[in-house]
Amino acid sequence: MKKYLSALLAVCMMLTAFCLPAMAYEYTFDGEDGGTFGEPTSDTTIYIIVSDDTNIDRSKTAAVIPPAFGSPTSYTLDAGEYLTPNLIEQNRQYDAGTNTSTGATVMPPSMLPATQDPFTVTDASNYAAAGYTEVTSDLYYQGGHLGTLSIPAIGLTVKVYQGTDKNALAKGAGHFTETSVWGGNVAIAGHNRGVNNHFGKIHTLNVGDTITYETKLGKRSYEVFSVSKIAVDNGTVLNDSAENILTLVTCVMDQPQYRWCVQAKATA
């Protein structure tokens, strides 16, 4: 009987303990003062102070296409190509000196007819300040070409035909009909792939490499001063020039929105 009463007492004590409310126990949590989370910003006023001059071009004219990831200039400040180079040329302030797009010397508007713009000139007869030689029938060789282009650095020798259509480029390189054939800016195009990939390596040329161009008017040597990738609609490289320069243009493989452009200045 005594054992029974002891067991019953033990059971009652256990039941009493289980019936106590949870609030009877005290819980203590230790933590760092101030918490470890940042304050929310959704309801915090953020003040931005702009110290730059407000007269800054932030339109699409100033937009730049960043360099390709991993390229030599990918981490260079302000590197890249303009998204709309044609708009930049339209908004340019013209001064006598060097055209930063082509490296060629151009004349200020005062030396042009009132309706002409040195970056959009297409009628060479109205641009007397720049060098220009018109293509005439007596300048063609018996084979139908206008001249011969030689670039020793890439092992290239190719005949140059009038026009840049598929028929001309199927035979060799093609002369841009709107440009000069001898004096001033002589612009030539060529394929960069296929059987007639004559210009497939022009983007590997270095500044200082020599190019030779021979026509019935003479033989002239040029020295490369610019190798660049330009937008497909950048026509400024075809503009007339007061200096004798040679402009070579070809496609960029798998990048139809761009063109490789090599420019060289006459040395002799």
Short mmCIF file of all heavy atoms in Angstrom, two decimals, residues 94 106-121 126-130:
data_model
loop_
_atom_site.label_atom_id
_atom_site.label_comp_id
_atom_site.label_asym_id
_atom_site.label_seq_id
_atom_site.Cartn_x
_atom_site.Cartn_y
_atom_site.Cartn_z
N TYR A 94 32.83 72.01 -86.91
CA TYR A 94 33.83 71.85 -87.96
C TYR A 94 34.91 72.93 -87.84
O TYR A 94 34.63 74.10 -87.75
CB TYR A 94 33.17 71.95 -89.33
CG TYR A 94 32.03 70.99 -89.51
CD1 TYR A 94 30.82 71.41 -90.05
CD2 TYR A 94 32.15 69.65 -89.12
CE1 TYR A 94 29.77 70.54 -90.22
CE2 TYR A 94 31.10 68.78 -89.29
CZ TYR A 94 29.91 69.22 -89.83
OH TYR A 94 28.87 68.35 -89.99
N VAL A 106 40.41 68.04 -93.44
CA VAL A 106 39.19 68.51 -94.09
C VAL A 106 39.16 70.02 -94.03
O VAL A 106 39.84 70.65 -93.23
CB VAL A 106 37.93 67.95 -93.41
CG1 VAL A 106 37.89 66.46 -93.53
CG2 VAL A 106 37.89 68.38 -91.96
N MET A 107 38.35 70.62 -94.89
CA MET A 107 38.24 72.06 -94.96
C MET A 107 37.03 72.55 -94.17
O MET A 107 36.02 71.87 -94.12
CB MET A 107 38.11 72.51 -96.42
CG MET A 107 39.33 72.17 -97.27
SD MET A 107 40.84 73.01 -96.70
CE MET A 107 41.74 71.66 -95.95
N PRO A 108 37.12 73.74 -93.57
CA PRO A 108 35.97 74.30 -92.84
C PRO A 108 34.87 74.70 -93.80
O PRO A 108 35.11 74.85 -95.00
CB PRO A 108 36.58 75.51 -92.13
CG PRO A 108 37.74 75.90 -92.99
CD PRO A 108 38.29 74.62 -93.52
N PRO A 109 33.63 74.90 -93.31
CA PRO A 109 32.51 75.23 -94.17
C PRO A 109 32.73 76.48 -95.01
O PRO A 109 32.16 76.61 -96.08
CB PRO A 109 31.37 75.43 -93.18
CG PRO A 109 31.75 74.60 -92.00
CD PRO A 109 33.24 74.70 -91.92
N SER A 110 33.57 77.41 -94.55
CA SER A 110 33.77 78.65 -95.29
C SER A 110 34.40 78.41 -96.65
O SER A 110 34.31 79.25 -97.54
CB SER A 110 34.66 79.60 -94.47
OG SER A 110 35.92 79.00 -94.22
N MET A 111 35.04 77.27 -96.84
CA MET A 111 35.68 76.97 -98.10
C MET A 111 34.79 76.11 -98.99
O MET A 111 35.21 75.67 -100.05
CB MET A 111 37.02 76.26 -97.86
CG MET A 111 38.01 77.08 -97.05
SD MET A 111 39.63 76.31 -96.91
CE MET A 111 40.21 76.40 -98.60
N LEU A 112 33.56 75.85 -98.54
CA LEU A 112 32.63 75.04 -99.30
C LEU A 112 31.45 75.89 -99.75
O LEU A 112 31.19 76.94 -99.19
CB LEU A 112 32.10 73.89 -98.44
CG LEU A 112 33.14 72.91 -97.89
CD1 LEU A 112 32.48 71.99 -96.91
CD2 LEU A 112 33.76 72.13 -99.02
N PRO A 113 30.72 75.42 -100.76
CA PRO A 113 29.47 76.11 -101.09
C PRO A 113 28.55 76.13 -99.88
O PRO A 113 28.64 75.28 -99.01
CB PRO A 113 28.89 75.24 -102.22
CG PRO A 113 30.08 74.55 -102.80
CD PRO A 113 31.02 74.32 -101.67
N ALA A 114 27.67 77.11 -99.80
CA ALA A 114 26.84 77.30 -98.62
C ALA A 114 26.00 76.08 -98.28
O ALA A 114 25.65 75.85 -97.13
CB ALA A 114 25.93 78.51 -98.82
N THR A 115 25.66 75.27 -99.27
CA THR A 115 24.79 74.12 -99.04
C THR A 115 25.57 72.86 -98.73
O THR A 115 24.97 71.81 -98.55
CB THR A 115 23.91 73.87 -100.27
OG1 THR A 115 24.76 73.64 -101.41
CG2 THR A 115 23.01 75.06 -100.54
N GLN A 116 26.90 72.96 -98.70
CA GLN A 116 27.70 71.75 -98.53
C GLN A 116 28.17 71.59 -97.10
O GLN A 116 28.31 72.56 -96.35
CB GLN A 116 28.91 71.78 -99.48
CG GLN A 116 28.54 71.70 -100.95
CD GLN A 116 27.93 70.36 -101.31
OE1 GLN A 116 28.19 69.36 -100.65
NE2 GLN A 116 27.12 70.34 -102.34
N ASP A 117 28.42 70.35 -96.72
CA ASP A 117 28.91 69.99 -95.40
C ASP A 117 30.12 69.10 -95.62
O ASP A 117 30.05 68.13 -96.37
CB ASP A 117 27.81 69.22 -94.65
CG ASP A 117 28.23 68.81 -93.25
OD1 ASP A 117 29.39 68.41 -93.09
OD2 ASP A 117 27.40 68.89 -92.34
N PRO A 118 31.28 69.38 -95.02
CA PRO A 118 32.49 68.61 -95.30
C PRO A 118 32.40 67.14 -94.94
O PRO A 118 33.23 66.36 -95.37
CB PRO A 118 33.56 69.31 -94.44
CG PRO A 118 32.79 70.01 -93.38
CD PRO A 118 31.50 70.42 -94.02
N PHE A 119 31.35 66.72 -94.18
CA PHE A 119 31.23 65.32 -93.82
C PHE A 119 30.16 64.61 -94.64
O PHE A 119 29.94 63.43 -94.48
CB PHE A 119 30.90 65.18 -92.32
CG PHE A 119 32.03 65.62 -91.45
CD1 PHE A 119 32.07 66.89 -90.92
CD2 PHE A 119 33.09 64.76 -91.19
CE1 PHE A 119 33.12 67.29 -90.14
CE2 PHE A 119 34.15 65.16 -90.40
CZ PHE A 119 34.16 66.43 -89.87
N THR A 120 29.50 65.33 -95.54
CA THR A 120 28.48 64.70 -96.37
C THR A 120 28.63 65.06 -97.84
O THR A 120 27.71 64.89 -98.62
CB THR A 120 27.07 65.13 -95.90
OG1 THR A 120 26.96 66.56 -95.96
CG2 THR A 120 26.81 64.68 -94.48
N VAL A 121 29.78 65.54 -98.22
CA VAL A 121 29.99 65.94 -99.61
C VAL A 121 29.98 64.71 -100.51
O VAL A 121 30.65 63.73 -100.26
CB VAL A 121 31.34 66.68 -99.75
CG1 VAL A 121 31.66 66.89 -101.22
CG2 VAL A 121 31.27 68.02 -99.05
N ASN A 126 32.15 70.25 -106.52
CA ASN A 126 31.89 71.40 -105.68
C ASN A 126 32.83 71.49 -104.49
O ASN A 126 32.71 72.37 -103.66
CB ASN A 126 30.44 71.35 -105.15
CG ASN A 126 29.44 71.59 -106.24
OD1 ASN A 126 29.72 72.28 -107.20
ND2 ASN A 126 28.26 71.00 -106.10
N TYR A 127 33.75 70.57 -104.41
CA TYR A 127 34.66 70.53 -103.25
C TYR A 127 36.09 70.77 -103.74
O TYR A 127 36.95 69.91 -103.70
CB TYR A 127 34.54 69.18 -102.56
CG TYR A 127 35.13 69.13 -101.17
CD1 TYR A 127 35.50 70.28 -100.49
CD2 TYR A 127 35.29 67.92 -100.51
CE1 TYR A 127 36.02 70.23 -99.23
CE2 TYR A 127 35.82 67.85 -99.24
CZ TYR A 127 36.18 69.02 -98.61
OH TYR A 127 36.70 68.96 -97.34
N ALA A 128 36.31 71.98 -104.23
CA ALA A 128 37.58 72.30 -104.86
C ALA A 128 38.74 72.29 -103.88
O ALA A 128 39.89 72.13 -104.26
CB ALA A 128 37.48 73.66 -105.54
N ALA A 129 38.43 72.49 -102.58
CA ALA A 129 39.51 72.55 -101.60
C ALA A 129 40.15 71.19 -101.38
O ALA A 129 41.28 71.10 -100.94
CB ALA A 129 38.95 73.07 -100.27
N ALA A 130 39.44 70.12 -101.67
CA ALA A 130 39.96 68.78 -101.47
C ALA A 130 40.46 68.20 -102.78
O ALA A 130 40.03 68.58 -103.86
CB ALA A 130 38.87 67.88 -100.89
#
